[in-house]
Amino acid sequence: MSKVFDKSLSNGCGSSNGCGNSNSCSSQPVNKKVPNIVTPLELHACMGLNACRGHDRFGTNTCAGTGYCATQTHVCHTLNNCAGQGGCGLFGDAAEQSKPGSNDCSWQGSCATPIQAERFSTLGENKNKSVWLLARALFEQRMDKSRRNVADAPFPAGPPQAWLESFGEYDSCGNSGDKSCSFGFNSPAQNTQELIDRSRDNASKQPEYDCKLNDD
Amino acid sequence: MARAIMGDGVTKITQDNLEEALQQAIEIEIATIPVYLSTYYSINRTPDQKELIKGFTKRLIDKGETKQNAATKALALSAKIMVFANRAGANIMSVVVEEMLHMSLSSNVKQSLFGNPELVGKSPSIWPAYLAGHEPEFPINRAKLSIEQLETFKKIESPVPIDANLRFTSAIPYFTIGDFYQGIEDCIRDHFCCKDNYHPDRPQLVPNRGYYAQNNIDTIYYDKQHKPVYENAADAGGLIHVVDQASALKALKTVVDQGEGKNVTDPFDDDSCHELSHYYKFALLQEELKDIKRQFQKEFGCEFDVENHFIHDFADNAETQDYPVTIQAVSTLTNAMYAYLFIMSQACYHAEEHTQFEIFMFGIHKSMLWILSSLCGEMTGLKYLGSDGQQYTATATFEEYQFSSASSPKSQIIELFNQAVGVNDGIAYLGQRIHDLPNVSIEGFLERSNTPLMA
């Protein structure tokens, strides 16, 4: 079973004094320095979605699918600058939300990157299920078609929001508050674990996603 | 004239005035957008819960509670506010996205039957505003969330007449928006059954192009356990390509079902009974607001005002001229963005497929979701002294902005942005995205342009 690193319970949401940085995330890349490399980086949407060795933000991954973080970021619907850079799950219709990290063209991404583990889709067949897991499934399909091997992502269900925040300010759009949070009556990690579990439970039942998927 | 149209209390639309009625329907839908948005942006959806707990704990200890009891009760009270504030925001935003859908649906019907839906310059320019033709007329304010504002919302969406007495009006009169649409539907049913009446080749905002989504991250809120709750249902209707009588009637029915409800006794507008009609959404929210006020007054006394813990202190019907110069620049930019939204929307009804997609997705979505929303959010961080000497929070004024014909609206917006960022560099992050907007001329929809919209 996938485990989400817990964060200390916070009694605030969406404010600087609320769900801020967490000290509970212990899994971080050893070398955070951005390498000075000549080869252009593949621009992709999140941890575990890189198609090549060395193509994550830190340039330290050893295989496709093992990157630690996105090589580009943006904060809202239609703001991605290239194909494959859209996040998902926050804005956009059901079709758009069916292909995180696999948008066809610039400015057609459905929402912000990186995609935190806690993010869920708001429409379509993936509604109320993990965006990152869907993005990873699409990525693996793409790699399979290309006859590429992929390895496990550093976090098997995507990067926890607290981990992303440990690198600085992180914003994933919308006004309804943090995805990972507590009003004092729940465990954010448990909520996220439930999200992951129901996403995986339905994974085997999902049809292969394609661009023809429309509103449900 | 008014009595002839409403002799038996039901609006009669004829072949002679159907085009006028459809345009009036478009303008009714447009009029609701700045009203609902103004109230939406008055809500702080994510208050600082730690500060709430701290304040409530102190109050409870002062009342004589033990520290342990005070902390426990303060946590529960703060959670009530956290959930309600977010729910209020999701409630109103869920209606806003559907009002935009309604504007599109009524525009699609007019486009198919008569062409040329008019959107530019149709947003109310004088406040308080009044719904065209509504009997009785009642003032509609741009105002913060309150029980009174929700009462106005209920009047707008009321499925039954507020008062059945006719008065003089220059617009086609009606007692409820639902009755007005019923008159339009009856006319189409009786006189526009032939497929030749419809022109589906004309550009419309159609399904399956990403132009509409029932839910987004702002139409949800989190319950006490921080589980997401969706205000809208996926089966509650969406865009419809109007190609014949059946599709026209379906489009109009969608507007009424979502707004006033399927009938007086059925609060749901979807087949799965997950989504309330607008009237019942507002009625429920009003009752919940009353309830949370009572709860906190019971705990802390009748003078306690829970609303100021999550509602910004907007002045009613604020205008740009009410603001100091530094805020005026941001307000003017916001109004220009709002006006450009309608220029782009109207252009969609004159554009070929790919151009329409670019205008909508990279212009309208970007303007609405990102730029306009960001500006509205930024303004809630600005304070000013009103003419009454009271301090208020600034808000978008949604006033009509008149673009000059000397240059494109986009270039004028860029100039306004440069002026605004000069006095408020907090909005500098919007610059690149403003430059990314499509370049739609005020009159661009009148003739095919050879200039690419996008860089």
Side-chain angles (χ1 to χ4, degrees):
Chain A
M1 176 178 287
S2 300
K3 293 296 183 182
V4 176
F5 288 91
D6 206 346
K7 60 192 293 188
S8 57
L9 285 183
S10 170
N11 292 324
C13 291
S15 67
S16 60
N17 292 324
C19 290
N21 293 339
S22 170
N23 295 321
S24 63
C25 181
S26 59
S27 176
Q28 297 183 13
V30 174
N31 179 12
K32 297 185 182 180
K33 184 177 179 181
V34 177
N36 181 21
I37 62 175
V38 176
T39 305
L41 291 177
E42 172 202 11
L43 298 177
H44 57 78
C46 206
M47 170 186 286
L49 303 182
N50 62 297
C52 288
R53 171 181 177 150
H55 283 219
D56 74 346
R57 182 174 294 189
F58 310 114
T60 57
N61 67 293
T62 58
C63 190
T66 62
Y68 264 94
C69 207
T71 48
Q72 52 82 34
T73 62
H74 61 84
V75 299
C76 204
H77 188 210
T78 74
L79 298 189
N80 62 295
N81 286 332
C82 273
Q85 294 178 18
C88 202
L90 305 182
F91 291 94
D93 69 352
E96 286 178 284
Q97 293 198 41
S98 71
K99 43 184 178 175
S102 299
N103 58 290
D104 294 330
C105 197
S106 65
W107 296 346
Q108 291 184 26
S110 185
C111 207
T113 59
I115 305 167
Q116 75 269 54
E118 296 86 352
R119 194 186 301 177
F120 52 89
S121 300
T122 55
L123 271 181
E125 293 198 23
N126 202 56
K127 180 180 175 182
N128 219 31
K129 294 197 282 282
S130 166
V131 173
W132 189 92
L133 287 175
L134 176 57
R136 175 73 185 197
L138 294 172
F139 166 75
E140 291 182 1
Q141 286 177 17
R142 180 162 64 94
M143 292 297 100
D144 186 61
K145 288 181 179 178
S146 302
R147 303 187 183 188
R148 300 285 306 278
N149 289 322
V150 298
D152 292 338
F155 290 103
Q161 182 163 324
W163 184 80
L164 292 170
E165 289 171 345
S166 70
F167 295 100
E169 184 176 345
Y170 173 68
D171 183 3
S172 67
C173 195
N175 296 304
S176 57
D178 284 347
K179 315 310 177 280
S180 173
C181 202
S182 171
F183 295 142
F185 298 91
N186 66 287
S187 160
Q190 182 177 335
N191 279 5
T192 306
Q193 191 62 53
E194 292 175 4
L195 168 69
I196 295 166
D197 291 345
R198 68 173 173 266
S199 301
R200 292 196 188 279
D201 284 346
N202 286 278
S204 61
K205 304 172 187 174
Q206 295 287 350
E208 184 170 303
Y209 292 99
D210 60 41
C211 299
K212 297 180 181 177
L213 186 65
N214 296 320
D215 294 273
D216 59 359
Chain B
M1 178 62 171
R3 292 196 180 278
I5 293 176
M6 300 187 66
D8 58 356
V10 176
T11 303
K12 288 188 175 66
I13 304 297
T14 69
Q15 292 165 278
D16 293 333
N17 68 359
L18 177 60
E19 181 174 4
E20 177 191 352
L22 286 169
Q23 180 61 38
Q24 185 174 324
I26 293 168
E27 294 176 30
I28 291 168
E29 304 304 337
I30 290 176
T32 64
I33 293 172
V35 179
Y36 295 156
L37 278 178
S38 294
T39 301
Y40 173 77
Y41 284 113
S42 77
I43 302 165
N44 176 4
R45 295 184 62 167
T46 54
D48 185 334
Q49 192 175 5
K50 284 187 173 180
E51 287 297 315
L52 294 176
I53 292 171
K54 183 178 176 182
F56 294 155
T57 300
K58 182 177 185 304
R59 280 181 173 269
L60 290 165
I61 289 175
D62 289 345
K63 282 181 59 181
E65 296 274 1
T66 65
K67 285 185 178 180
Q68 179 61 45
N69 284 348
T72 301
K73 293 178 76 172
L75 177 63
L77 290 169
S78 68
K80 286 181 187 290
I81 291 178
M82 298 301 292
V83 173
F84 178 77
N86 214 2
R87 175 177 167 81
N91 178 290
I92 296 175
M93 180 53 68
S94 73
V95 171
V96 169
V97 299
E98 290 189 342
E99 293 298 342
M100 294 178 181
L101 172 67
H102 297 175
M103 179 183 77
S104 299
L105 289 172
S106 49
S107 296
N108 282 359
V109 176
K110 189 187 181 196
Q111 174 80 321
S112 185
L113 283 170
F114 301 104
N116 195 31
E118 299 173 39
L119 307 178
V120 176
K122 302 302 180 183
S123 186
S125 57
I126 298 174
W127 298 90
Y130 296 84
L131 291 179
H134 195 288
E135 293 286 348
E137 65 176 22
F138 57 90
I140 300 172
N141 295 305
R142 291 181 288 101
K144 63 186 179 183
L145 177 68
S146 66
I147 291 171
E148 294 74 22
Q149 185 72 342
L150 289 172
E151 189 63 30
T152 298
F153 290 3
K154 287 166 60 183
K155 288 181 178 178
I156 294 172
E157 305 289 352
S158 178
V160 297
I162 302 169
D163 178 351
N165 294 313
L166 274 174
R167 296 173 181 82
F168 293 108
T169 173
S170 59
I172 298 172
Y174 54 89
F175 290 132
T176 69
I177 293 174
D179 285 344
F180 181 64
Y181 272 83
Q182 184 64 55
I184 295 173
E185 291 178 45
D186 290 344
C187 180
I188 290 176
R189 190 175 293 109
D190 293 343
H191 303 292
F192 291 85
C193 57
C194 181
K195 206 167 180 73
D196 289 347
N197 293 132
Y198 302 86
H199 301 273
D201 55 308
R202 295 171 181 162
Q204 292 183 33
L205 295 180
V206 299
N208 305 325
R209 288 189 193 164
Y211 294 157
Y212 178 70
Q214 291 86 358
N215 274 309
N216 58 56
I217 198 63
D218 287 338
T219 62
I220 72 157
Y221 67 95
Y222 299 96
D223 65 14
K224 187 177 179 182
Q225 302 299 322
H226 211 267
K227 301 291 181 62
V229 182
Y230 297 79
E231 284 282 346
N232 285 343
D235 66 343
L239 286 167
I240 295 167
H241 190 189
V242 178
V243 299
D244 55 17
Q245 182 190 59
S247 55
L249 293 175
K250 183 180 179 184
L252 297 169
K253 183 175 187 297
T254 298
V255 173
V256 176
D257 287 357
Q258 289 184 352
E260 291 71 38
K262 292 183 176 180
N263 56 63
V264 174
T265 59
D266 185 359
F268 297 104
D269 64 16
D270 64 319
D271 294 332
S272 61
C273 297
H274 283 105
E275 178 178 314
L276 295 171
S277 67
H278 296 177
Y279 174 79
Y280 283 99
K281 279 182 178 176
F282 291 143
L284 181 60
L285 185 62
Q286 188 187 47
E287 286 305 309
E288 290 180 353
L289 180 56
K290 290 177 180 177
D291 186 54
I292 198 170
K293 283 169 65 79
R294 282 193 294 264
Q295 289 179 47
F296 277 82
Q297 287 173 348
K298 180 179 179 182
E299 185 67 57
F300 297 122
C302 59
E303 299 302 316
F304 187 83
D305 183 6
V306 68
E307 291 169 304
N308 64 22
H309 289 81
F310 62 91
I311 299 176
H312 298 296
D313 53 341
F314 290 173
D316 288 357
N317 302 318
E319 298 179 348
T320 299
Q321 65 183 10
D322 299 333
Y323 296 149
V325 172
T326 53
I327 301 179
Q328 282 186 13
V330 180
S331 182
T332 301
L333 172 63
T334 305
N335 288 333
M337 286 302 312
Y338 179 64
Y340 196 48
L341 181 66
F342 291 105
I343 289 174
M344 291 187 287
S345 297
Q346 187 162 327
C348 284
Y349 286 91
H350 299 269
E352 52 83 21
E353 182 176 339
H354 292 324
T355 303
Q356 183 193 73
F357 184 82
E358 287 189 345
I359 293 173
F360 193 95
M361 297 302 285
F362 311 146
I364 295 168
H365 263 231
K366 196 181 305 295
S367 299
M368 199 66 220
L369 291 178
W370 176 247
I371 301 171
L372 189 56
S373 182
S374 296
L375 287 168
C376 290
E378 292 289 344
M379 291 191 77
T380 61
L382 306 175
K383 307 286 186 180
Y384 70 101
L385 284 179
S387 57
D388 58 0
Q390 298 292 319
Q391 179 172 275
Y392 294 102
T393 299
T395 180
T397 59
F398 299 106
E399 294 162 286
E400 186 172 348
Y401 182 85
Q402 294 287 349
F403 288 101
S404 164
S405 58
S407 60
S408 71
K410 177 178 176 179
S411 63
Q412 293 173 57
I413 288 172
I414 291 171
E415 179 59 30
L416 291 172
F417 168 76
N418 291 336
Q419 294 171 18
V421 76
V423 297
N424 188 327
D425 60 4
I427 64 169
Y429 65 96
L430 298 174
Q432 182 58 56
R433 298 306 173 184
I434 288 177
H435 281 269
D436 287 341
L437 288 168
N439 190 12
V440 179
S441 166
I442 293 175
E443 299 177 351
F445 46 82
L446 298 179
E447 59 184 13
R448 184 175 296 274
S449 172
N450 292 323
T451 305
L453 293 179
M454 311 304 298

